Amino acid sequence: MKFTFRKNKKTANSKDNRITDSSIIQDQGETVSMLKGNENLENIIENEGRSIEQNLINIKLPKELIIRIFSYLDIVSLCRCAQVSKYWNILALDGSNLQNVDLFEFQRDVSENVIGNIASRCNEFLRTIRLENCRSISDESLEILCLKCPNVELLNLKQCLKLTDRSFVNIGNNLHYLTSLNLESCNISDQGIKCIAKGCPRLQAIELSWCTDLSSDGLFNFADLCSNLQHLSAKGLGNMKNRVLIKIAENCSELISLILNNCNSITDDGIIAIANNCQYLKHLCVSNCKHLSDASLIALGKNCHELCIFESSGCSNLSDNGFTALSKGCPNLMRLDLEECLRITNSTIQNLVNNCFKLKHLALSRCENITDDGIRLITNPAIGNLNETLQVLELDNCPLITDAALEQLSLCQNLMQLELYDCQLITKNGIKRFQNKFPKIKVHAYFAPAVVNNNNRPIRSCSCKCCAIL
């Protein structure tokens, strides 16, 4: 992999130590090879002679201490240090400094040989490697990584579209310490997921969203083999059936997070099984699972008392009865997404205010029955403390919300964000008054442009000049 660094005013972000200027990696004339094979350190020191002697840092500090200092730098900063001298090149790119490699920023520049060079440098030191969207990576380069770096614990291959089951078989055969794996949008089949399940017994978190080649049988066998699973994301898997969820419930009692967006095949039977057996569940997303009813919410409220995040956007069959049971049984809820739950009313808000004292994020967009009275319940300190905890409130497309609700929301002491897109009864003046009073609150609103009156416009001829000539 060739890196060329040029002077640029943009530098690493002090907070996350990552480079925001992608121009640091260019295909220009003068390049420096950053990831070449190891050389004999003693020979390098002798060859550099005076240059090292004149550099006090190399004389005063032992190489072990310099390597320790380098261990706090990210990969971009390490590559910069590696250009100082051959001596620093070896110390900066020592395998012990490359335990955590994130190449997401350089996804377009990462070629196949880069992964092999990294693997040769890191060997058994490598613990986490993120290759998200590095679409040039092939089965051959990932095989080298698996063979040379067997101690990898976290591997992110999101949208690495060239990979086939050959790569996933290699992961199962070699990465036995793997605990977290991201395969979102990868072309993995039942054979690949079975090898991973068999060969990675420590796997705790896996991302399988949009892996549409996986069948119901493949998912069932995976759930049967992975007993330590705590986090599963399966967005868009049409083959995620109830029997798979029942097997997950039976085999993964320690499950903490389950993401099932757009899994249209699941019904109450699957969610009830999860609720009955996975009592440590903290995050559940069933958005756009159209077949769920209040029975799922009642089971969750009865068993999953640790639930903190629940997302049910687009579940139009859920009603006040279900959310009453959920709010009473899950007092630790911090985020609740009820967008397009068309059957809920102010009664749901009443129960949330009475029972959920930690709620910070509430989405009520497209809930057509929510009125100003519901907002008054949120802000009433005599009922609950939602006026103190709420930070984000989404009210997009709530046709019954008016400027009076904005006046009530002024009582929310810690509100940081308010969504008001397409609220037909909210006026510009009402938003201006609210923003003038609370300038720190981010208000997102949209007003359709005024309709132009075309009655006074001259009638335009329907025929063009060509038509006139003809």
Side-chain angles (χ1 to χ4, degrees):
M1 183 178 184
K2 301 286 187 178
F3 288 87
T4 296
F5 296 90
R6 65 184 185 186
K7 293 183 179 179
N8 197 306
K9 292 182 179 179
K10 294 183 180 181
T11 57
N13 188 312
S14 61
K15 291 184 178 179
D16 56 8
N17 204 21
R18 297 178 70 176
I19 299 298
T20 57
D21 186 6
S22 60
S23 64
I24 61 171
I25 303 177
Q26 299 282 341
D27 249 347
Q28 298 177 356
E30 296 181 359
T31 60
V32 181
S33 179
M34 288 292 128
L35 299 168
K36 53 188 179 180
N38 288 324
E39 300 181 55
N40 189 293
L41 185 57
E42 300 300 329
N43 292 336
I44 295 300
I45 296 175
E46 291 179 5
N47 292 337
E48 291 198 341
R50 287 183 185 175
S51 62
I52 293 182
E53 290 178 1
Q54 292 171 355
N55 195 334
L56 290 178
I57 189 172
N58 294 331
I59 296 173
K60 298 295 185 182
L61 296 181
K63 65 180 182 181
E64 292 81 8
L65 187 53
I66 297 177
I67 290 176
R68 178 70 174 179
I69 294 171
F70 286 158
S71 69
Y72 292 95
L73 303 180
D74 67 337
I75 190 169
V76 176
S77 303
L78 286 171
C79 288
R80 286 175 171 169
C81 292
Q83 295 180 95
V84 173
S85 66
K86 290 183 179 180
Y87 180 60
W88 273 32
N89 181 283
I90 292 178
L91 298 183
L93 299 181
D94 183 81
S96 62
N97 291 329
L98 297 174
Q99 296 184 39
N100 305 292
V101 176
D102 188 351
L103 298 180
F104 175 72
E105 293 289 338
F106 318 121
Q107 51 190 275
R108 295 182 181 179
D109 304 275
V110 174
S111 58
E112 290 188 35
N113 64 315
V114 172
I115 305 304
N117 290 335
I118 289 176
S120 298
R121 285 272 184 179
C122 299
N123 291 314
E124 297 182 356
F125 287 106
L126 189 63
R127 293 293 184 273
T128 69
I129 180 165
R130 293 175 173 86
L131 304 173
E132 180 179 343
N133 213 31
C134 296
R135 303 194 178 190
S136 298
I137 296 174
S138 67
D139 292 330
E140 290 76 15
S141 55
L142 195 69
E143 182 177 3
I144 296 172
L145 179 70
C146 292
L147 291 173
K148 293 191 174 183
C149 306
N151 294 326
V152 169
E153 298 173 0
L154 184 151
L155 178 60
N156 187 338
L157 298 174
K158 180 180 178 180
Q159 293 187 347
C160 294
L161 302 181
K162 279 189 175 182
L163 300 181
T164 67
D165 275 341
R166 176 183 167 185
S167 291
F168 307 126
V169 170
N170 273 308
I171 290 173
N173 290 339
N174 297 282
L175 303 185
H176 305 304
Y177 296 98
L178 199 64
T179 60
S180 179
L181 179 61
N182 189 334
L183 299 177
E184 182 175 337
S185 301
C186 287
N187 300 312
I188 185 171
S189 73
D190 293 348
Q191 179 191 2
I193 198 67
K194 185 176 181 180
C195 288
I196 289 172
K198 282 186 174 181
C200 305
R202 302 186 182 189
L203 194 64
Q204 296 180 356
I206 189 166
E207 170 69 73
L208 294 174
S209 297
W210 310 111
C211 295
T212 53
D213 292 335
L214 294 174
S215 70
S216 179
D217 290 336
L219 292 169
F220 183 88
N221 293 331
F222 172 78
D224 188 38
L225 292 168
C226 291
S227 58
N228 293 320
L229 207 60
Q230 296 182 4
H231 304 274
L232 172 61
S233 182
K235 303 175 201 172
L237 297 189
N239 290 322
M240 178 64 74
K241 310 287 187 182
N242 284 335
R243 72 187 191 103
V244 179
L245 291 182
I246 292 171
K247 177 56 67 174
I248 291 173
E250 292 175 355
N251 207 31
C252 308
S253 59
E254 303 294 322
L255 195 68
I256 295 175
S257 173
L258 181 60
I259 313 300
L260 298 171
N261 303 48
N262 297 289
C263 294
N264 296 318
S265 300
I266 64 175
T267 66
D268 290 330
D269 292 340
I271 300 302
I272 290 173
I274 292 291
N276 290 338
N277 293 277
C278 304
Q279 298 182 4
Y280 300 105
L281 194 66
K282 292 186 176 182
H283 183 184
L284 177 62
C285 178
V286 292
S287 295
N288 295 313
C289 296
K290 305 289 187 180
H291 303 297
L292 299 183
S293 72
D294 288 341
S296 292
L297 300 184
I298 293 171
L300 290 169
K302 183 178 179 180
N303 298 287
C304 299
H305 306 303
E306 301 296 322
L307 194 65
C308 296
I309 301 173
F310 181 70
E311 297 167 284
S312 59
S313 174
C315 296
S316 55
N317 292 328
L318 304 182
S319 70
D320 291 333
N321 292 333
F323 285 110
T324 297
L326 184 74
S327 61
K328 289 181 178 179
C330 304
N332 295 316
L333 280 172
M334 299 178 68
R335 177 188 172 111
L336 189 59
D337 186 354
L338 309 181
E339 181 176 351
E340 211 170 350
C341 293
L342 303 177
R343 298 179 62 187
I344 67 170
T345 67
N346 294 336
S347 176
T348 290
I349 297 180
Q350 175 78 64
N351 282 287
L352 292 174
V353 172
N354 290 339
N355 300 287
C356 301
F357 302 118
K358 299 180 180 179
L359 196 62
K360 294 183 178 181
H361 189 141
L362 178 60
L364 296 170
S365 299
R366 300 180 185 274
C367 295
E368 299 177 352
N369 298 315
I370 301 300
T371 67
D372 291 344
D373 291 334
I375 305 303
R376 290 190 186 94
L377 292 171
I378 292 175
T379 59
N380 189 348
I383 303 176
N385 67 337
L386 217 56
N387 66 310
E388 298 178 0
T389 62
L390 196 64
Q391 297 179 0
V392 179
L393 180 61
E394 300 180 24
L395 296 171
D396 303 328
N397 289 98
C398 290
L400 303 180
I401 299 296
T402 71
D403 288 348
L406 296 180
E407 297 295 330
Q408 292 295 320
L409 287 173
S410 63
L411 300 175
C412 289
Q413 304 171 14
N414 295 305
L415 192 65
M416 300 171 60
Q417 183 175 324
L418 180 60
E419 304 286 340
L420 295 171
Y421 290 106
D422 294 319
C423 289
Q424 302 167 12
L425 300 182
I426 297 287
T427 66
K428 289 184 179 180
N429 291 332
I431 291 178
K432 284 182 180 179
R433 287 194 301 269
F434 185 81
Q435 287 183 314
N436 290 335
K437 192 174 182 180
F438 304 99
K440 293 184 178 180
I441 299 178
K442 295 180 181 179
V443 180
H444 299 152
Y446 170 78
F447 294 92
V451 178
V452 179
N453 186 358
N454 294 321
N455 295 334
N456 298 326
R457 286 191 176 185
I459 299 175
R460 187 175 179 180
S461 175
C462 295
S463 60
C464 64
K465 291 182 179 180
C466 296
C467 296
I469 293 173
L470 292 173

